Every structure is written in structure tokens, then in C-alpha cells.
Amino acid sequence: MCPLAATVRRIFMLFVFLRPPETPGRGDEGQADTSFSDSSLFAHWGQDLSPDNRRVALKMFQYYGYNGYLSDRLPLDRPMPDLRPDGCRNITYPLNLPQVSIVFIFVNEALSVILRSIRSAINRTPSHLLKEIILVDDNSSNNELKEKLEDFVSQTNSQRPGFIKVVRHLKQEGLIRSRVSGWRAATAPVVALFDAHVEFNIGWAEPVLQRIQEDRTRIISPSFDNIKYDTFEIDEYPLSAQGFDWELWCRYLNPPKSWWYKGNKSAPIQSPALIGCFVVDRLYFEEIGLLDEGMEVYGGENVELGIRVWQCGGSIEVLPCARIAHIERAHKPYTEDLTSHVRRNALRVAEVWMDEFKSHVYMAWNVPMEDSGIDIGDVSERKALRKRLQCKTFRWYLVNMYPEMRMYSDTVAYGVMKNSLKNDLCLDQGPDNDNVPILYLFQAECVIDLCKQRIWEKKNGVDVNRRISK
């Protein structure tokens, strides 16, 4: 999941992210870094905690990116507000819907968060539709996720043999390849690939399975709500489509006009791309090429899948009647430098799927198209997949599926403008509705990662200074 804009994400990671310790704190030993005494964790929560408990909570927050201390004290089967549009409650569904395998991916997740994800899936999915739950552990180092998790799985499977499967990687593969591992272990006709920090709402499964039963080439995303990382309160999100910018950071979009004209808030929303979690026909997912396992860690794989599905004859929908709440972490697992992986993955997508528009991705990341110095790996198999599936052009995709995506033409140059004499001065594009660039003081040295202006020029001299991505 990645709702933050790229620039905000980059700044946040630079100043906030701390490398997690080997295991989260559970007692008074190992005090957390006092530089986090004003942490965002305590902005709306925890004022009544003792100093010792605040240190424990803070250390767990630094490790998980959310309030693990609070999560451990919440019920695993807590109630959820029904946030579906009113029309969803009166819909009836066929009795012969296909079964689903739910896959949860995790690395060093809080055990209570994983168990709550499993409990909500079991409690809010009709038992005849939920064939199995698959847990993919991407080589966690947290000991709590070994014996204690195995005890829970054994207890559950004693009542329903083989219901929960555990796949453990011997080395860390990243989210992308972990999802493919989960798919390989699944046996139901439909596979749902989720993070292990979600909570399902009532009636989520039936609308998803019906849409896939009607057309197996549909890939479905639920509508997401937010579980606040500090208070674990459920924050309702507006109904949205899902898209991306030219750096291939994903973003929420206003639903298309055609959806609004229907006047039916329970109707499926056509979406150009996927934010992250999705549900797919198991065999169709293989036919369409799974995920690009040549990508690293995560970031961009959801965008690549959405582009590929549309260009190759399938479709993407977001369902308002299928609501799932997801924790948006304050900082991410896997790596301190997620940006470099997303950039590499984005250039892979550009080279395979974007035709003449691949230059937009290079411009957005401010790297030259020739001799970029970035090894994107071998993409010959992905290009062969595109040829085999007889996919449409990326121009078709932009015109028909993502018309709101801005296109750039007649580009003369792009790059970053930096003042070599006064490093705290930054040049910015200025207001969007004006073509007058502005100069401003930055609190630190105006480094490329923070100023990141993409300069481009049209031959006619219009729109001289604008960023490619926002």
C-alpha cells in the first residue's frame, strides 16, 4: 500500500525512519531513543502511560511502524463499523460463488496484528466460501512469529485440518515474490493477496467473488479504509479509483465521471491501476503473467499489474461494497532505501510496457535514458509475455483507461536546477495555475532528493518550469 505522494514519502523516510532493533521491547530494558520523546505516536494517544510503559510503546513503534503496544491490548475479534454504502446491504448474491484462498504476507509483523487479520477474515467471510488461509513469512527475525504463531496455527487446524498453511522463506525475498509464493500455495479458484495488517468488514467477499465469477479476467480491489497507526481507530476513506504518477508511486483517484453519472454508490468503480492488495482468479493470474519477479522488494508491481491487465484484455475494478481497513504504517519494513527499489522497478515497467512514454518515467526520476547507471535486470521474458498476449499499446491505455494522466511532448531537456553558490536556495515551479517559477529558502542544504525539480521545456516556450510528478 502506498497512498503517500513521492516527495512526502522521501522526506518522511529521510528524517523519521529508524532501523528496527532485532526484536521489539517488551519490558523496561532497552530504552527507546530519547530523540523520539516527541514522537507522533503520542500526539493523540498514551498520555496516561507511565514513563516506563511509554518507553516500551515507543520502542515497539520504532520496530513496527505502528502502535504494537496498543494492538497487543485490543481484542483480536473487535467489532468494525459497517462503512459500506447503503445500497450494498440489500444486494443478494448467488449461492454457488467460488471459494477463495486468503494469502497474508508479513515480515516482522506484530503477532497480535497478524492474528487480528486472520480472525477478521474468518469471522467476516462465509465459511463455505473461505477454503484456506495462507501465511507467507518472508524470513522474519522476530521469535514471536515462530513458536507462538505455530501454536495458533496448530490449534486452529486441530478444529479444521489444513485450514491454515504457513510458507516460510529461508531468505528475504521481498513483498513481490512473497505474493507469488502465496499464490503458488493456494488451491481455491480465487486468490486474495493481502498484507497481514488488515481487518475485513462485513460482506466483503460476496461482491468480489460474484464479479470474478461473471468475468474471470477482472482483478478486484476492495475499497480501503485506514486503521490509524497510533490509535488503531478506523478512519473512513472516500470511495476512490486507484492510479499512479510518473514515478509509479500509487495514488487514490476520484472515480471516473461515468461512475458518478450512475448515481449508484454501490456500483463497481473502473480503476486504471491497483494500490496493492487485490483478488484474482487463480488460473487467470498465471495466464496474465503473475507479478514481475524480476522486481526487487516492493513498489511498482501493482502499477505494472494494472497496466498489463488493461493492455492485455482484462480489467480492474474497485468495489464499494467490499471494504477492508488497512494500517498505514508511519515507516515501512524491509529497507531504509525503498526509493531506490521503486525507481529500479519503475524503469523496468517503462521499458516493457510504456513504449514511447517510457521517457516520462525517466524524466520523473531525473535519470538519463541512455547510460542511466541503473541495472534493471533482464526484461526479455516480460517483453515476450507482452508479445504472446498480443497486448495493446500504452497510448491506448492512457487515452482509454487513464485520460487524467498528464502527457508531455516535444521535450527538449529535463533535470534539476541547483544553486552552486548558495545551497539553501531552491527553485520551484510555483503555483500550478501560473507559469512563474519561484525561489525560496530551504531549512537545510538544497539537496537533489529534497528539491527534485524536473525541468522541461516545450519547443514553443510554454510551460518552461514544471515538475513531472507531484
Side-chain angles (χ1 to χ4, degrees):
M1 300 288 292
C2 44
L4 296 178
T7 303
V8 175
R9 181 193 304 270
R10 195 172 295 111
I11 294 172
F12 192 87
M13 288 179 65
L14 190 62
F15 289 108
V16 176
F17 189 92
L18 294 182
R19 183 184 296 276
E22 289 302 313
T23 54
R26 295 287 173 182
D28 295 341
E29 70 278 5
Q31 294 184 2
D33 187 343
T34 55
S35 66
F36 265 61
S37 59
D38 59 348
S39 168
S40 61
L41 176 64
F42 300 116
H44 306 288
W45 173 87
Q47 289 78 11
D48 57 343
L49 292 181
S50 69
D52 285 346
N53 285 338
R54 283 172 68 91
R55 281 193 292 269
V56 173
L58 185 53
K59 190 172 183 179
M60 295 177 73
F61 172 63
Q62 291 174 334
Y63 185 83
Y64 294 122
Y66 51 70
N67 194 342
Y69 181 93
L70 175 60
S71 175
D72 288 351
R73 288 155 178 79
L74 293 175
L76 296 182
D77 55 354
R78 66 173 181 161
M80 288 275 289
D82 186 352
L83 300 177
R84 296 174 298 170
D86 291 339
C88 299
R89 297 175 178 86
N90 300 320
I91 299 176
T92 57
Y93 297 96
L95 299 176
N96 62 337
L97 292 173
Q99 287 188 308
V100 61
S101 299
I102 297 180
V103 178
F104 291 120
I105 312 297
F106 65 90
V107 58
N108 291 328
E109 200 88 54
L111 178 61
S112 60
V113 168
I114 296 175
L115 298 185
R116 192 173 296 110
S117 299
I118 296 171
R119 285 292 188 196
S120 72
I122 293 172
N123 293 343
R124 300 190 181 105
T125 308
S127 59
H128 69 284
L129 297 179
L130 180 54
K131 182 173 184 180
E132 61 194 357
I133 291 175
I134 298 164
L135 307 178
V136 181
D137 176 5
D138 193 21
N139 196 237
S140 296
S141 59
N142 185 351
N143 290 328
E144 194 176 49
L145 300 181
K146 296 179 170 60
E147 185 175 347
K148 289 184 179 180
L149 182 58
E150 290 291 351
D151 288 344
F152 173 84
V153 171
S154 297
Q155 182 181 2
T156 304
N157 285 347
S158 66
Q159 301 171 5
R160 190 172 173 182
F163 177 63
I164 299 181
K165 302 176 182 176
V166 181
V167 177
R168 295 194 187 269
H169 289 167
L170 298 179
K171 65 183 182 73
Q172 200 165 93
E173 298 287 354
L175 178 65
I176 298 167
R177 289 191 282 271
S178 294
R179 283 179 171 159
V180 177
S181 292
W183 170 84
R184 289 193 173 103
T187 60
V190 176
V191 180
L193 295 158
F194 288 104
D195 300 329
H197 43 265
V198 297
E199 293 179 53
F200 294 79
N201 217 315
I202 187 172
W204 78 275
E206 294 91 330
V208 172
L209 297 175
Q210 182 187 41
R211 295 298 288 174
I212 292 175
Q213 184 182 56
E214 292 172 351
D215 183 351
R216 63 187 294 269
T217 68
R218 287 182 181 136
I219 296 185
I220 303 296
S221 169
S223 291
F224 291 105
D225 297 302
N226 180 34
I227 302 173
K228 295 181 179 180
Y229 69 81
D230 52 353
T231 65
F232 271 60
E233 295 171 339
I234 307 298
D235 184 19
E236 181 179 1
Y237 273 179
L239 295 174
S240 305
Q242 299 166 7
F244 56 92
D245 62 20
W246 281 116
E247 284 185 330
L248 272 57
W249 294 106
C250 51
R251 55 188 295 200
Y252 290 115
L253 304 173
N254 195 31
K257 291 180 180 179
S258 58
W259 182 82
W260 290 106
Y261 290 156
K262 293 177 183 177
N264 177 11
K265 289 188 176 181
S266 66
I269 301 170
Q270 181 175 285
S271 182
L274 292 158
I275 286 289
C277 304
F278 58 92
V279 189
V280 60
D281 180 276
R282 181 170 58 87
L283 296 181
Y284 173 68
F285 194 36
E286 181 177 30
E287 294 164 13
I288 203 71
L290 301 173
L291 296 174
D292 182 358
E293 293 183 84
M295 291 185 174
E296 293 180 348
V297 189
Y298 72 95
E301 80 286 351
N302 47 339
V303 172
E304 190 268 356
L305 177 61
I307 292 170
R308 171 161 40 100
V309 167
W310 279 116
Q311 288 184 219
C312 304
S315 61
I316 305 288
E317 290 181 350
V318 178
L319 296 191
C321 292
R323 297 197 77 109
I324 293 175
H326 172 272
I327 300 175
E328 293 184 6
R329 299 175 189 259
H331 47 263
K332 302 290 186 180
Y334 283 112
T335 175
E336 294 181 30
D337 190 20
L338 178 61
T339 299
S340 66
H341 296 296
V342 175
R343 179 180 62 188
R344 177 189 180 276
N345 294 346
L347 297 184
R348 250 182 106 82
V349 178
E351 290 293 340
V352 176
W353 297 102
M354 292 189 171
D355 307 325
E356 70 270 27
F357 292 94
K358 69 181 182 181
S359 62
H360 290 43
V361 180
Y362 282 86
M363 283 192 293
W365 283 105
N366 195 35
V367 294
M369 291 184 62
E370 301 293 334
D371 300 322
S372 68
I374 300 169
D375 181 9
I376 66 170
D378 183 8
V379 295
S380 58
E381 288 188 9
R382 304 308 286 181
K383 288 184 175 180
L385 171 71
R386 179 178 178 177
K387 184 176 181 180
R388 183 170 71 252
L389 295 176
Q390 300 181 343
C391 305
K392 297 182 176 69
T393 66
F394 191 69
R395 180 178 291 277
W396 174 90
Y397 170 82
L398 288 176
V399 171
N400 293 278
M401 309 319 308
Y402 205 0
E404 57 266 64
M405 188 64 153
R406 183 171 180 173
M407 291 181 263
Y408 301 85
S409 59
D410 298 325
T411 302
V412 174
Y414 62 91
V416 172
M417 295 188 72
K418 184 177 179 182
N419 191 323
S420 61
L421 298 178
K422 195 166 179 56
N423 289 332
D424 59 351
L425 286 178
C426 288
L427 182 68
D428 193 35
Q429 68 175 26
D432 283 349
N433 58 358
D434 196 354
N435 193 40
V436 179
I438 61 174
L439 199 67
Y440 66 94
L441 282 170
F442 193 73
Q443 294 299 317
E445 181 179 343
C446 189
V447 294
I448 289 177
D449 271 349
L450 297 179
C451 268
K452 208 74 174 175
Q453 284 80 26
R454 279 70 164 176
I455 309 302
W456 63 278
E457 299 177 352
K458 283 187 176 180
K459 292 178 180 177
N460 60 11
V462 177
D463 292 335
V464 176
N465 294 294
R466 289 206 179 274
R467 288 190 295 264
I468 297 296
S469 31
K470 300 176 183 178

